[in-house]
Amino acid sequence: MMAVPARFPYRLMRGVLIAAGVLYCSLLLELVAGYPLNVHDSFLSELGALDQQTSPYARALDLGSGVLLLLAAILGRPAARMHRDIAGLLISAAVFGAGTLFDAVYPMSCAPSVSQACRDAEHGGQTGSALILHEITSTIAGIGSVAVGIFAVLVLRRSGWGGLWGKVVAALAAGVAVTQTWLGIETGLEVLTGGDLHPPGILQRVSVGLVCLMLATLLPGLRQAFTR
């Protein structure tokens, strides 16, 4: 493994990732908005649907977190040559950021969990390209977040788990990988079967909460790998 480059901006990247974690936490927007969606039946991305009053705020948060994740990946480039797992972590963060950014650019036109007409249009295949694009970008973001979790665990395992912070990040990263994969399988099966299998709301909110905490603690947990 190569030494950490002297020009690696650890503190700046740590601050960027903490800010990305805060902005990604749409759970806070949902709380401030008074829970406009049924937490059992809805996805948090419905807060950004164009027919919702929360749309401009949710999309701004996604846009900000996506930009910050891309910035973190760029800031971390000097460390990418240290080891393949660090390069994988940075690439995963960029994929996660790009998917989140495009989630904001291509929101749903309506929120299915609160609109029967929207559900009918969705089931009838009448929602058009906006829904398809949003599903694609959400899938990209989900894959990116799972990859970030996996590579974070790989980096921590190689570097000796990094003490208490490292173990906390490892637990959060593993939780992100498991819950996001579980959510992806559930929604994928729902699309393939055309039926409602299980209300996704609580699982998604737990997963998003884990993602937010993982991003906010990622660099402190990986400090040993990025600064030695």
Side-chain angles (χ1 to χ4, degrees), residues 89-115:
L89 178 66
L90 296 172
I91 292 170
S92 301
V95 172
F96 183 17
T100 303
L101 188 154
F102 284 110
D103 263 354
V105 176
Y106 299 110
M108 292 183 287
S109 57
C110 57
S113 69
V114 296
S115 169

Side-chain angles (χ1 to χ4, degrees), residues 75-92:
L75 290 172
R77 283 182 61 191
R81 295 183 180 180
M82 291 172 57
H83 199 276
R84 286 176 294 180
D85 52 19
I86 292 179
L89 178 66
L90 296 172
I91 292 170
S92 301

Side-chain angles (χ1 to χ4, degrees), residues 187-217:
T187 54
L189 288 174
E190 183 175 326
V191 170
L192 290 174
T193 61
D196 295 328
L197 300 179
H198 187 275
I202 298 299
L203 174 60
Q204 196 217 10
R205 284 161 175 79
V206 169
S207 187
V208 167
L210 290 173
V211 171
C212 298
L213 291 172
M214 178 186 71
L215 292 177
T217 59

Side-chain angles (χ1 to χ4, degrees), residues 1-227:
M1 183 186 71
M2 297 177 62
V4 180
R7 64 185 183 281
F8 175 67
Y10 171 81
R11 291 184 180 179
L12 177 58
M13 187 175 171
R14 179 184 60 188
V16 166
L17 281 172
I18 290 172
V22 172
L23 291 181
Y24 190 76
C25 203
S26 48
L27 295 165
L28 299 176
L29 173 62
E30 186 176 48
L31 173 64
V32 171
Y35 293 97
L37 305 173
N38 185 312
V39 297
H40 294 281
D41 300 327
S42 65
F43 285 101
L44 284 166
S45 56
E46 292 181 59
L47 292 169
L50 296 178
D51 66 342
Q52 298 299 298
Q53 292 183 345
T54 51
S55 179
Y57 308 106
R59 293 168 66 192
L61 291 175
D62 275 352
L63 184 65
S65 60
V67 169
L68 289 174
L69 283 166
L70 289 170
L71 176 59
I74 293 170
L75 290 172
R77 283 182 61 191
R81 295 183 180 180
M82 291 172 57
H83 199 276
R84 286 176 294 180
D85 52 19
I86 292 179
L89 178 66
L90 296 172
I91 292 170
S92 301
V95 172
F96 183 17
T100 303
L101 188 154
F102 284 110
D103 263 354
V105 176
Y106 299 110
M108 292 183 287
S109 57
C110 57
S113 69
V114 296
S115 169
Q116 183 63 47
C118 187
R119 287 195 296 273
D120 291 343
E122 181 180 3
H123 292 153
Q126 301 170 4
T127 49
S129 60
L131 178 61
I132 295 172
L133 284 170
H134 183 77
E135 288 178 344
I136 291 172
T137 58
S138 294
T139 300
I140 292 171
I143 292 171
S145 66
V146 170
V148 169
I150 291 171
F151 279 110
V153 172
L154 291 176
V155 173
L156 284 163
R157 185 182 67 173
R158 177 178 54 79
S159 60
W161 301 108
L164 178 61
W165 269 117
K167 292 179 175 62
V168 169
V169 171
L172 291 171
V176 168
V178 170
T179 56
Q180 288 280 45
T181 301
W182 181 4
L183 184 65
I185 291 172
E186 282 205 1
T187 54
L189 288 174
E190 183 175 326
V191 170
L192 290 174
T193 61
D196 295 328
L197 300 179
H198 187 275
I202 298 299
L203 174 60
Q204 196 217 10
R205 284 161 175 79
V206 169
S207 187
V208 167
L210 290 173
V211 171
C212 298
L213 291 172
M214 178 186 71
L215 292 177
T217 59
L218 188 60
L219 258 289
L222 297 179
R223 183 182 180 91
Q224 179 177 340
F226 273 94
T227 59

